[in-house]
Amino acid sequence: MTVKIPVPTLRAFAQQVLRRSGLADADAATAAEVVLYADVHGFTTHGTNAMAGIYAPRLLDGRINAAARLRTVSETVSGAVLDGDRGLGLVSTVAATDLAIAKARETGVAVVAVRNSSHFGSAGYYAHRATEAGMIGIAMTNCGAQGVAPPLGGTTRMLGTNPLAAAAPAPGGAPFVLDMSATTVATGKIRAAQREGRAVPRGWLTAPDGTSVTSPDAFFAGDADVTWLGGPAATGGAKGYGLAILVDLLCGPLAGASWGPTPDLLVDGEERPDTDIGHTVLVIDPVALGAGARFGAGARELLDTLAADRPAVPGGTVTYPGAPEALRAAESLRDGVALPDHVVAQLVPLADRLAIEAPAEFAAVAVPA
């Protein structure tokens, strides 16, 4: 079941939660927009769900530095490395994205990396932010030293889900926005299935012997691992695995942040926290590179042509990454954001803890005492 919450109501609530969790007003407003983007576009696991389960608790107990001061480690005309001071990844990556946009206007292409950061929410937000400036955006993050998935054919969890997003402007319609993890699915969706008491689809999880597993409990018990995008090696798992390595290289060694595959993990096998996370944002300005309006017009034609293809199944639709999410966003803005009951059930006690009045719509959900 879901509850519909007007976007302004949810935005105001998110800002209150983040302020009461220790963020300055400006940072709370920035972070709330990243949170709202996820819920509005249908990425429920990365919106207020993450605010309740990750951001607010870690800000309150100090694992995320609410008073972080972003610092420039190094800088060139076309790039920079920033130190997030253990701050909220949502705030530091917005700053990194805006800096990359400003530099790309001058140089055509710019890369900004962040170290010493934390969970940054929906990767698509940052790539999409670049399209609002008329630019192409690519954003990615590792999971710091935390291991979520073993290398292809291995047994030790070393790499994160390592999400990445890419977006391109296409005036006159929905932009192209690809937001994906290097694994078949983000672990937040496995957690959501566990909370809702349902099995996960075959192909999400696999046992050490290669058997497909549908119980989400098996993942959290360490009895099954999330699969790489493409599945086993025979069906293209090396593609997802390779993408995960690429993200760790660009967000770990390049940014100066932690990364998962370190030799000590092979010795002690200890589970490690997702701290000192790294993010990298790349922005391309078509105007600065001489493409001008040609790029936008070409992108629109390309995407519209794909969507105009005859559906393989009568009554079906053909679309592209970014278009369904744009429709979902329009629906959310018109009718309210659909929040699952299990998310609301986390937000109500959080509001009580912070002495914040929860939205009236939350009263429709029965919250366990």
Side-chain angles (χ1 to χ4, degrees):
M1 299 294 290
T2 61
V3 175
K4 292 289 185 71
I5 314 293
V7 171
T9 300
L10 192 59
R11 175 182 289 108
F13 176 68
Q15 288 179 354
Q16 274 192 300
V17 167
L18 293 164
R19 283 198 300 267
R20 290 292 181 89
S21 298
L23 289 183
D25 288 353
D27 287 347
T30 294
E33 289 307 312
V34 186
V35 168
L36 261 290
Y37 173 91
D39 281 331
V40 164
H41 287 80
F43 304 116
T44 306
T45 56
H46 287 60
T48 47
N49 177 70
M51 184 177 71
I54 301 174
Y55 311 140
R58 296 184 187 186
L59 285 164
L60 290 165
D61 68 19
R63 282 179 289 171
I64 296 177
N65 181 10
R69 300 179 70 86
L70 197 63
R71 177 175 64 88
T72 301
V73 178
S74 60
E75 186 171 15
T76 69
V77 292
S78 60
V81 174
L82 309 177
D83 187 300
D85 192 23
R86 293 192 306 105
L88 189 60
L90 284 65
V91 176
S92 62
T93 314
V94 167
T97 302
D98 289 350
L99 178 59
I101 289 170
K103 287 181 175 293
R105 284 198 179 97
E106 301 298 322
T107 62
V109 180
V111 180
V112 178
V114 183
R115 65 173 66 163
N116 197 19
S117 189
S118 62
H119 192 285
F120 83 165
S122 176
Y125 175 84
Y126 311 103
H128 185 272
R129 190 175 180 91
T131 70
E132 294 176 334
M135 302 186 191
I136 300 162
I138 299 174
M140 62 191 76
T141 184
N142 70 3
C143 293
Q146 183 185 42
V148 176
L152 191 64
T155 57
T156 305
R157 292 180 176 179
M158 295 186 185
L159 291 158
T161 53
N162 290 10
L164 67 157
F176 167 82
V177 185
L178 174 67
D179 191 344
M180 56 176 279
S181 62
T183 50
T184 301
V185 66
T187 56
K189 292 187 177 182
I190 303 172
R191 178 68 75 185
Q194 184 187 51
R195 285 177 174 149
E196 295 170 11
R198 57 181 172 81
V200 299
R202 292 179 62 83
W204 281 18
L205 302 173
T206 183
D209 64 1
T211 304
S212 184
V213 175
T214 59
S215 169
D217 294 337
F219 173 75
F220 296 105
D223 298 326
D225 290 306
V226 64
T227 57
W228 292 112
L229 188 64
T235 57
K239 297 174 183 177
Y241 174 47
L243 282 173
I245 296 172
L246 175 64
V247 170
D248 237 343
L249 288 168
L250 297 182
C251 296
L254 181 67
S258 295
W259 61 87
T262 56
D264 62 299
L265 188 60
L266 297 172
V267 178
D268 56 39
E270 293 282 331
E271 184 175 339
R272 293 175 293 177
D274 53 345
T275 55
D276 189 18
I277 289 174
H279 324 300
T280 295
V281 179
L282 183 150
V283 174
I284 301 169
D285 182 7
V287 173
L289 292 179
R294 181 179 74 247
F295 178 83
R300 183 74 273 146
E301 179 182 295
L302 186 159
L303 297 173
D304 285 348
T305 302
L306 290 171
D309 191 24
R310 179 170 57 87
V313 178
T317 58
V318 181
T319 187
Y320 59 87
E325 294 79 8
L327 289 174
R328 176 66 175 268
E331 180 182 313
S332 296
L333 291 168
R334 183 184 68 243
D335 303 328
V337 175
L339 286 186
D341 287 0
H342 72 84
V343 174
V344 175
Q346 295 180 78
L347 294 172
V348 171
L350 177 61
D352 289 342
R353 177 183 179 185
L354 298 173
I356 295 170
E357 183 177 354
E361 292 82 359
F362 287 4
V365 177
V367 179

